[in-house]
Each structure stands twice: as structure tokens, then as C-alpha cells.
Amino acid sequence: MNDVSFASLRTPEGRALLDEVRGTAPAQELAVATRLRRDHPAELVSAALAQARLRERAAAKFGAEDAARMFFTPNGVEQSTRTTVATYRARRLRALGVSGVADLCCGIGGDAIALARTGIRVLAVDRDPLTAAAARANAEALGLSELIEVREADVTDVDVSSYDAVFVDPARRGGRSGRSGGGRIFDPEAYSPPLSWAVATALKAPHAALKVAPGIPHEAVPPEAEAEWISDGGDVKEAVLWFGTEPGLVRATLLPGPRELRGRGLPDPPVRPLGRYLYEPDGAAIRAHLVAEVAEELDGGLLDATIAYVTADELRPCPYATAYEITDRLPFNVKKLKALLREREVGVLTVKKRGSAVEPEELRRKVLPKPHGRNAVTVFLTRVAGAPTMLLGHPAHA
């Protein structure tokens, strides 16, 4: 999509086409496009169909109602913050007393929208013309233009001194905003702009939140920052470096909820024999290096010193980990596992792994090529005291 075709979508003709192509199935696109090109420019028809596809993809992040009114770029859909996470972060800023935020590297405006919906005034900045146009269109489409000012500029040239908080979401891919593609970037100094610039900018504001990759090395977290890892529905979504809150604090936040696990500087949990229950800590707790805090709540220990599975003898409710009752422990052996599953009439197999090179889908095909049994089993591929091990069990609920 280019700037011209995007602008044409916002004309009365473009909006009418967007309404007409809404819900078009992939198999129908060619016929629909052929029909519409009789009365409309081919480029506009193509842009409308492409936008309809993007809106369908975006519904998972933004909700069907908002996505149906918003405008997207391909990278904008992929890189935008999920609404549940953006809303949580916006509410946290609001609770800090923030009334104005400079949203730097705003993308298509997902975070600016969440901030504005809490009543916060937002300056949304992005240097890419198409992306800035999408952010502006989205603010208008959702009735938030009075609270969101969109500016096309390089974030390093913008004066943010009149805002009491800064939010920075640097590009963590080779390309940005639909202009070009690229793989993920893992070095924080290779972000655009670099993390060092974002931190320096954050330190000048009363409050700041820097969105970073969940895999950021803990040693890259500045001492002035609080580090928070966020998961939504069990999937780790991002890490945030907060300034003006509690320097040095490490926390894991689980959505929905939110449920919060704070670091207490505990030593590594002890390694102990396999108990009746296995607990799989939430990914946010693992990324935040808070497995010790989870183990303490469960009065448990680790199966292996290098693997984040907690084992315990009792079943306890714990919002930060999923519990499984273990029924079998076997050395890793595909033939034995296949025979055991056949004997127990297993038709539904969930394979989880940690500390194993085996691919779950490949193992599933080998041991359960034709699922037809009436029972379900979860298999953990892991190490116990350094030895490759299979643990069989099922979810347990306290």
C-alpha cells in the first residue's frame, strides 16, 4: 500500500468500497474484484480488499468493533500492541497521575488510542508518512482526535518537555511501518531509536515507559528502571521498563487480571525429586527470573537446576503457574511412549518441552499417527537430574 492508495480509502468512494468488501471470503476476492473494477479504479479496489484482510487480522488484537473502523498497514497489524496490554499500561500511567504522554514511535496508534481512552492527552509521533497517516485516521475513526495529536517527525527531534510522561516503542525489526520488512532485532542498541537514547529521554521525564522485547537481557535493564514482563492469556507479549516508579523492582504481570508477582531477590530454588505435581510457571514469571518466587509459593523445587519446571507434593492454587498431576515417569523412548499411549487409549496428546531438542509436533506424529482413543494425556519432554525424561500427566485444579 502506498500513500496515494491509502488516502483514496478515506474518500467517500473508498469508504463505500470498504463497507462493500467487508467480510469477503478469500475464495470470493477475484470475483468481487472483477465486478467492482467495472465501476471503480483498479488500484482503489485492490486497496479496499487488502484493507479488509488487514482488518480481519487486526480483530484479534483490537477487537472486531474497533478493527472494522480502523486503518492498518501490514507491519502495523503485526507490530501493534494488543489492546488488552495497551489498556493495562495506559491505566497504570493514569494511576500514576499522568495527564499527558508523548508517544514516540507511535506506529498506527494502538497505544495512543488506549492512552486517550483513559483521558490522557497524547502527542503521537512517527517518522513514516503512511504510518502517521494511519494513526491520524484511527484517532478520527474512533472519535479521539481532540486528545491525540499525530505528528510526522523523527522522534529524536521532538520536544517532549511539556508532557509529564514519555512512552517509547522503538522498532525491533529491520523494517518499520510497512515500508520494508526485516527480522527481529535482539540487541537493544540496534533498536530504532537505540535503547540508550530511549533511556536518556525517559530519565528527563517525571514518568516513562519503554516497550522492549521480552528477551531483553536483564543486565541491559538500567538501575533507574523497574522491569515488568507482561503475559496475556499465558502468552508473553512484552517487557516494559518503567521510570519514576520503583527502581530495581522486577515484576511479572499476568493478564487478564491483572495478577502481579513481585521479585524478592530469592536464591535459586533447590533441586528435588519429582513429586506428585508438576507446575509450569507462566512465561512472564520465567522471563522475569521469578521462578524462585513461584516455587516458594508452592513449597516446591526444581526438577533440574537449569529448567523452569517446579515440582511439589501438594496441589495448591497458584495464579502464576499451571498445575499437572504426574502419573508416569519414563526415560525418553519413542517406542515405549507409543505403546503406552495405545494401551491407555489416548486420542488427544499435548506435548510440552523444556530442555529437550525434540520437536513436539514431530513426536506427536510418531507416537499418535491416527488419533482415535477416548483419553487425553500431556507429555513433558524435559530433563530430570540431567537425564532426558518423559513425564506423563494431566491438568490438575486446586
Side-chain angles (χ1 to χ4, degrees):
M1 182 187 303
N2 56 44
D3 298 358
V4 174
S5 61
F6 179 80
S8 67
L9 288 176
R10 302 190 64 205
T11 64
E13 182 182 13
R15 291 180 183 276
L17 269 179
L18 284 172
D19 289 338
E20 189 165 353
V21 302
R22 182 183 300 174
T24 300
Q28 300 173 326
E29 281 192 5
L30 180 58
V32 170
T34 301
R35 174 175 58 82
L36 292 175
R37 283 170 182 161
R38 296 172 189 152
D39 302 310
H40 304 280
E43 184 180 16
L44 180 57
V45 172
S46 297
L49 286 167
Q51 190 63 219
R53 289 194 297 270
L54 291 174
R55 286 177 167 181
E56 288 183 6
R57 283 174 51 196
K61 282 188 174 182
F62 291 88
E65 185 177 347
D66 280 354
R69 293 186 286 166
M70 293 173 67
F71 293 87
F72 300 96
T73 64
N75 279 10
V77 173
E78 184 177 350
Q79 297 177 23
S80 293
T81 305
R82 183 180 291 267
T83 292
T84 49
V85 179
T87 300
Y88 159 75
R89 197 191 310 106
R91 287 174 177 169
R92 192 173 169 195
L93 282 166
R94 188 65 177 173
L96 290 170
V98 169
S99 61
V101 171
D103 178 2
L104 307 180
C105 308
C106 68
I108 61 169
D111 285 286
I113 289 166
L115 290 163
R117 281 177 165 167
T118 68
I120 292 175
R121 177 175 57 94
V122 184
L123 170 65
V125 183
D126 202 288
R127 68 183 179 186
D128 180 68
L130 178 59
T131 303
R136 191 173 293 109
N138 290 333
E140 293 175 6
L142 299 179
L144 297 169
S145 294
E146 291 187 4
L147 285 170
I148 300 175
E149 174 195 348
V150 179
R151 189 179 302 174
E152 180 190 324
D154 189 312
V155 297
T156 60
D157 296 331
V158 176
D159 178 11
V160 299
S161 58
S162 62
Y163 293 83
D164 49 5
V166 171
F167 173 68
V168 187
D169 179 9
R172 293 177 296 282
R173 292 178 182 271
R176 178 82 179 188
S177 310
R179 283 297 188 188
S180 59
R184 290 186 183 278
I185 294 173
F186 297 98
D187 177 7
E189 283 307 294
Y191 292 176
S192 179
L195 181 62
S196 56
W197 178 88
V199 170
T201 302
L203 290 172
K204 297 174 185 175
H207 297 286
L210 312 183
K211 178 180 172 181
V212 295
I216 185 173
H218 279 234
E219 56 269 23
V221 176
E224 302 92 343
E226 168 200 330
E228 178 182 35
W229 278 261
I230 302 173
S231 68
D232 186 15
D235 296 327
V236 182
K237 294 302 179 183
E238 65 181 54
V240 184
L241 304 183
W242 292 90
F243 295 81
T245 54
E246 300 179 62
L249 175 66
V250 175
R251 79 168 83 201
T253 299
L254 283 59
L255 303 176
R259 297 183 177 92
E260 175 191 299
L261 180 64
R262 289 180 162 232
R264 300 192 298 280
L266 300 179
D268 291 340
V271 176
R272 54 150 289 173
L274 175 66
R276 182 176 178 182
Y277 297 98
L278 181 74
Y279 291 86
E280 182 180 27
D282 184 89
I286 294 173
R287 293 281 195 173
H289 296 180
L290 300 181
V291 174
E293 280 74 4
V294 175
E296 184 181 69
E297 288 208 10
L298 298 168
D299 193 22
L302 300 180
L303 285 175
D304 186 281
T306 63
I307 297 176
Y309 280 140
V310 175
T311 186
D313 298 315
E314 296 181 9
L315 180 61
R316 296 185 181 182
C318 179
Y320 316 112
T322 303
Y324 296 85
E325 184 173 6
I326 300 302
T327 57
D328 300 87
R329 169 183 172 177
L330 305 166
F332 180 78
N333 186 296
V334 174
K335 289 184 178 179
K336 287 184 178 179
L337 178 59
K338 186 175 182 178
L340 186 59
L341 296 179
R342 187 187 310 115
E343 175 188 327
R344 296 188 181 174
E345 299 181 346
V346 172
V348 179
L349 178 65
T350 301
V351 181
K352 293 177 172 287
K353 73 164 189 172
R354 190 158 287 153
S356 172
V358 178
E359 290 299 327
E361 194 55 45
E362 180 182 349
L363 179 69
R364 189 182 292 108
R365 286 196 301 267
K366 287 181 178 178
V367 300
L368 208 65
K370 297 180 180 179
H372 59 271
R374 55 189 176 86
N375 297 317
V377 163
T378 300
V379 175
F380 294 88
L381 306 177
T382 188
R383 294 194 304 270
V384 176
T389 304
M390 301 184 299
L391 304 176
L392 278 67
H394 52 81
H397 304 284

